[in-house]
Amino acid sequence: MKVTKISHVAIAGENPEQARILYEDILGLSFTGSEQVEREGVNTHFYGVGESNIEILEPLSMDSSVGKFLEKRGPGLHHIALEVEGLDEYIKKLKAAGITLLSDEPQAGAHGMRIIFIHPKSTGGVLIELCEQA
Ligand code: CMX
């Protein structure tokens, strides 16, 4: 049971092309792919940074959680994802500590990962995702 790396830092925005120009053309990061996560109503775009990624979150509708985030707070840092080994044990430990999770069980995230979110109210204001290779 351990946290192995920062999987990704996710930034919510409405203009993925503008993000591509910055991260790929100017900063020279490698675009590593886009993937829609239908359940979350979001399109994700990944740029590799060492063993981690920057994930651009583009809402598919303004009703999605990312759409609501943009409406309320504007573009910006949305969440930080930590890759772990032992996700199920972490979930038990978090629940035992009374920490608020967004779901009872892990969900399917981008790249076939099993993911769970910790509510920002339990983390000092930053949405944290824990993810594990399925
Ligand atoms: N970071 C920090 N604070 C956030 C936040 C975020 N990403 N999203 C919402 N909040 C804050 C809100 O501003 C609000 O604060 P106040 O009460 O001070 O106004 C509070 O959290 C509650 O927010 P809410 O919009 O009223 O709604 P909920 O509590 O129902 O839901 C949240 C908030 C964070 C759980 C949900 O909107 C969310 O983001 N879920 C995760 C979905 C997601 O990230 N999907 C992407 C998956 C892609 C992938 O696989 O990587």
Side-chain angles (χ1 to χ4, degrees):
M1 191 184 169
K2 64 176 173 183
V3 176
T4 53
K5 64 179 183 183
I6 291 178
S7 164
H8 56 269
V9 172
I11 299 169
E14 282 167 302
N15 193 335
E17 177 54 16
Q18 198 175 47
R20 192 198 63 73
I21 290 168
L22 173 64
Y23 294 114
E24 189 173 39
D25 292 352
I26 300 174
L27 294 179
L29 301 185
S30 299
F31 172 68
T32 55
S34 296
E35 187 176 337
Q36 283 195 13
V37 183
E38 298 288 347
R39 182 180 39 77
E40 298 284 358
V42 75
N43 202 5
T44 63
H45 311 276
F46 288 90
Y47 296 89
V49 186
E51 59 174 10
S52 304
N53 285 275
I54 288 178
E55 177 189 39
I56 303 300
L57 290 172
E58 176 194 9
L60 296 172
S61 81
M62 291 320 272
D63 280 352
S64 62
S65 58
V66 174
K68 287 185 193 141
F69 175 93
L70 286 169
E71 225 161 53
K72 196 166 179 184
R73 301 163 69 112
L77 179 65
H78 185 267
H79 67 266
I80 296 174
L82 304 177
E83 188 166 331
V84 303
E85 288 171 8
L87 182 61
D88 297 318
E89 292 101 304
Y90 274 115
I91 291 173
K92 279 189 204 135
K93 213 169 162 182
L94 288 160
K95 284 181 181 171
I99 290 173
T100 306
L101 302 175
L102 299 197
S103 59
D104 251 0
E105 301 287 331
Q107 311 282 316
H111 299 143
M113 303 285 267
R114 300 168 69 232
I115 67 174
I116 199 147
F117 285 95
I118 307 175
H119 197 286
K121 293 223 152 137
S122 288
T123 64
V126 179
L127 179 62
I128 300 283
E129 173 185 339
L130 299 184
C131 58
E132 183 172 51
Q133 301 284 349

